[in-house]
Amino acid sequence: MIIGDIADSLTRSIERTSDAISEAFFEPTIRIGVTGLSRAGKTVFITSLVANMIDRARMPGLMANAQGRILTAYLQPQPDDAVPRFDYETHLGALTGPTPHWPASTRAVSQLRLSLRVQPGGLLGGLQGPRTIHLDIVDYPGEWLLDLELLDLTYTQWVEKTLGRIANRSQAATYLTLAASRDAAAGFDETTARDLATSFAAYLNAAREDGFSDCTPGRFLLPGELAGSPVLTFAPLAKPATTPRRSLWREMERRFEAYKSQVVKPFFRDHFAKIDRQIVLVDALGAIHAGPPAMDDLRRAMADILSAFRPGRNAFLTKLFLGKRVEKILFVATKADHLHHKQHPRLTAIIEALVSEAKGRADYAGADTSAMSIAALRATVEETLQHSGKDLDCVRGTLADGRQAAFYPGELPEDPQRLLHPARDGAESWLDADYQVMNFAPAALSLKPGEGPPHIRLDKVAQFLIGDKL
Ligand code: GDP
């Protein structure tokens, strides 16, 4: 190497090091994970949060904003070139355009970088110039988190567990009949594998529709670009007496292992392990409406989700995290605009009870957790109607066909255990109450300059997630 080259490469490496140092010191990056089971409200949440961070008139609960220290917020290209970008503009267009409608939901992982210019606060704040803080928002399906459990299981163990769990589920009857009709010791052929995988995926989708959340492998529900590939073309088959080489069973076992190493592990390595702060969205109102079995299932899913964040959860994650851990986890009940604000504390009490139970079940001790109820996009206004001589606190919104309707969702109990107990005890329906949800369309908006879309408590969410870093 000639001297010029050496000098050149030295300068470059110094440049790179100082870039890294300046980024770490002066331009901190906070990676915020946004997850929740499908339809929990992730897409609407990210879109409205970002719009409200860019135009902050509706964000008084974010302290740095109330103090006038956030000078500007803008989108930037994200640093991870291989991760799809969260399609913010299209989603915002859907929500705030001339004919507002709900955007297409999360199907896979995506990411968006929002950068803030912030004037530091505190005693020395006035002496320093503004600095830039990057928020990398990572959207991923909660179903993928539940796959973590698979890493602890061999194919044989997974098959036993899965077949045990689904034996009495009506949604699985077709799959179980098909699996029983196939000889797992016979030679492998792709058509049989595909039929089994398709039928098993149909079971998972039906179970998910009916409110079950223990529906792994998660990619069978949201396959994305992996649809039809061998890593998604397997299913649980009871182990036959002999498992010759090239048999159907052996190939299923191989594909299960490939799913673990080529699908589950990369997700945890490339996305999950880098998250600093996490928000988990929960459609608690939807589960309450669906009845006690769905509520009970939600309880279990929350414990499973939380256990993915438990330090030392398994050897693979421990190695990935290298002692780093998620610092804060916020659980939020979404779509609170279905309720009059007088009922919000009750919804919050329910989500708090669910979180504290999940912590107990997952034997969780780690990050700071909190719970609240929010609406990422407020689609209703409040209205009090007279009914049988009594005040009835309702909300009014626009239906899909454009008509306006007032809606009374039912009264949530003051004590969350009135819902959690029957759910735990296996009740089929709520005894003394009926809870409704309504699919309101987003309201047509006329935003003043500086105003983001209307919401409930998104500013409190932002304060919990990033307030201490501003
Ligand atoms: P994802 O699957 O988690 O990405 O869920 P989405 O963000 O697509 O939300 C699913 C559906 O929930 C939407 O299509 C809306 O019908 C509803 N939704 C989500 N957020 C809100 C909200 O803040 N208010 C109301 N009224 N509905 C919401």
Side-chain angles (χ1 to χ4, degrees):
M1 191 187 281
I2 50 171
I3 305 272
D5 280 354
I6 296 177
D8 217 28
S9 67
L10 252 183
T11 334
R12 263 205 304 274
S13 81
I14 290 169
E15 267 169 12
R16 265 202 299 274
T17 316
S18 60
D19 272 1
I21 291 173
S22 73
E23 169 128 334
F25 280 105
F26 304 114
E27 299 195 351
T29 301
I30 311 167
R31 286 178 79 89
I32 301 174
V34 179
T35 198
L37 298 176
S38 65
R39 314 294 297 161
K42 298 179 288 297
T43 310
V44 178
F45 170 80
I46 295 174
T47 309
S48 183
L49 178 69
V50 170
N52 276 289
M53 288 300 291
I54 293 175
D55 289 307
R56 294 176 298 284
R58 289 194 158 105
M59 298 293 271
L62 178 59
M63 296 317 287
N65 185 45
Q67 294 159 358
R69 293 193 292 104
I70 304 182
L71 309 178
T72 135
Y74 50 98
L75 292 173
Q76 288 216 76
Q78 72 208 33
D80 306 284
D81 292 330
V83 182
R85 181 176 180 274
F86 179 85
D87 193 358
Y88 169 73
E89 292 76 10
T90 306
H91 298 326
L92 186 68
L95 290 174
T96 60
T99 45
H101 55 277
W102 299 109
S105 294
T106 299
R107 311 291 303 163
V109 78
S110 69
Q111 191 179 322
L112 192 67
R113 169 169 280 197
L114 178 73
S115 299
L116 308 178
R117 288 288 287 167
V118 183
Q119 179 63 45
L123 280 180
L124 297 177
L127 302 174
Q128 297 166 336
R131 50 184 206 142
T132 305
I133 298 172
H134 304 292
L135 304 181
D136 283 345
I137 301 172
V138 184
D139 174 26
Y140 65 93
E143 284 80 359
W144 294 8
L145 268 191
L146 301 180
D147 273 350
L148 186 60
E149 184 202 12
L150 303 187
L151 296 183
D152 300 330
L153 303 174
T154 62
Y155 178 64
T156 310
Q157 290 167 330
W158 176 69
V159 167
E160 275 170 14
K161 204 168 168 181
T162 307
L163 293 182
R165 188 158 63 194
I166 71 179
N168 295 321
R169 290 192 186 169
S170 59
Q171 300 88 345
T174 312
Y175 171 73
L176 292 171
T177 311
L178 180 69
S181 73
R182 293 293 183 267
D183 179 3
F188 166 79
D189 82 276
E190 192 64 52
T191 312
T192 308
R194 193 162 356 104
D195 290 348
L196 286 164
T198 307
S199 175
F200 187 63
Y203 149 69
L204 288 174
N205 277 299
R208 180 80 190 91
E209 273 298 295
D210 290 349
F212 288 101
S213 51
D214 53 1
C215 300
T216 53
R219 285 314 151 95
F220 278 54
L221 295 165
L222 297 166
E225 80 282 13
L226 292 175
S229 64
V231 280
L232 293 196
T233 312
F234 66 91
L237 285 183
K239 193 171 186 174
T242 58
T243 55
R245 289 181 60 192
R246 302 219 176 85
S247 63
L248 180 61
W249 193 89
R250 283 279 196 107
E251 179 62 11
M252 290 291 189
E253 180 185 42
R254 194 194 68 75
R255 291 181 179 193
F256 175 76
E257 291 302 328
Y259 180 81
K260 279 162 57 180
S261 64
Q262 293 174 37
V263 179
V264 183
K265 282 189 174 176
F267 164 69
F268 280 92
R269 186 189 60 223
D270 300 340
H271 305 291
F272 185 73
K274 296 181 185 164
I275 287 167
D276 300 308
R277 298 179 173 198
Q278 177 68 49
I279 176 163
V280 181
L281 306 182
V282 180
D283 184 7
L285 284 175
I288 295 169
H289 166 69
M295 188 74 183
D296 190 45
D297 205 53
L298 178 62
R299 265 170 8 99
R300 272 182 277 135
M302 283 184 54
D304 289 348
I305 287 178
L306 198 59
S307 83
F309 295 95
R310 190 177 63 206
R313 163 69 165 69
N314 67 23
F316 166 70
L317 272 192
T318 307
K319 221 162 59 200
L320 277 187
F321 273 110
L322 293 171
K324 169 184 169 299
R325 62 169 63 164
V326 173
E327 300 154 344
K328 285 167 174 266
I329 308 175
L330 177 62
F331 286 88
V332 299
T334 51
K335 313 180 196 181
D337 56 330
H338 283 98
L339 297 177
H340 191 277
H341 76 271
K342 285 186 186 158
Q343 291 217 51
H344 288 181
R346 296 182 177 196
L347 181 60
T348 307
I350 292 168
I351 188 86
E352 275 169 349
L354 283 167
V355 172
S356 95
E357 225 188 272
K359 280 169 116 171
R361 283 173 75 100
D363 192 17
Y364 183 82
D368 191 7
T369 58
S370 187
M372 50 179 94
S373 37
I374 69 159
L377 190 95
R378 183 177 200 147
T380 63
V381 292
E382 297 186 340
E383 187 171 292
T384 300
L385 298 178
Q386 288 287 312
H387 182 72
S388 315
K390 280 205 284 188
D391 282 351
L392 203 56
D393 292 322
C394 301
V395 292
R396 170 178 289 278
T398 312
L399 302 177
D401 61 10
R403 280 182 305 134
Q404 288 272 317
F407 166 68
Y408 180 69
E411 188 166 335
L412 295 176
E414 209 157 345
D415 176 6
Q417 294 306 333
R418 298 246 323 265
L419 295 178
L420 295 187
H421 266 146
R424 212 171 9 232
D425 294 346
E428 282 303 315
S429 58
W430 305 119
L431 257 192
D432 48 0
D434 192 15
Y435 303 104
Q436 303 297 324
V437 284
M438 176 80 89
N439 199 0
F440 289 117
L445 300 175
S446 55
L447 301 177
K448 297 199 195 80
E451 265 183 4
H455 64 82
I456 299 172
R457 278 186 282 279
L458 270 188
D459 50 345
K460 298 278 194 310
V461 168
Q463 176 63 26
F464 177 86
L465 288 175
I466 56 166
D468 61 324
K469 295 280 190 183
L470 303 181

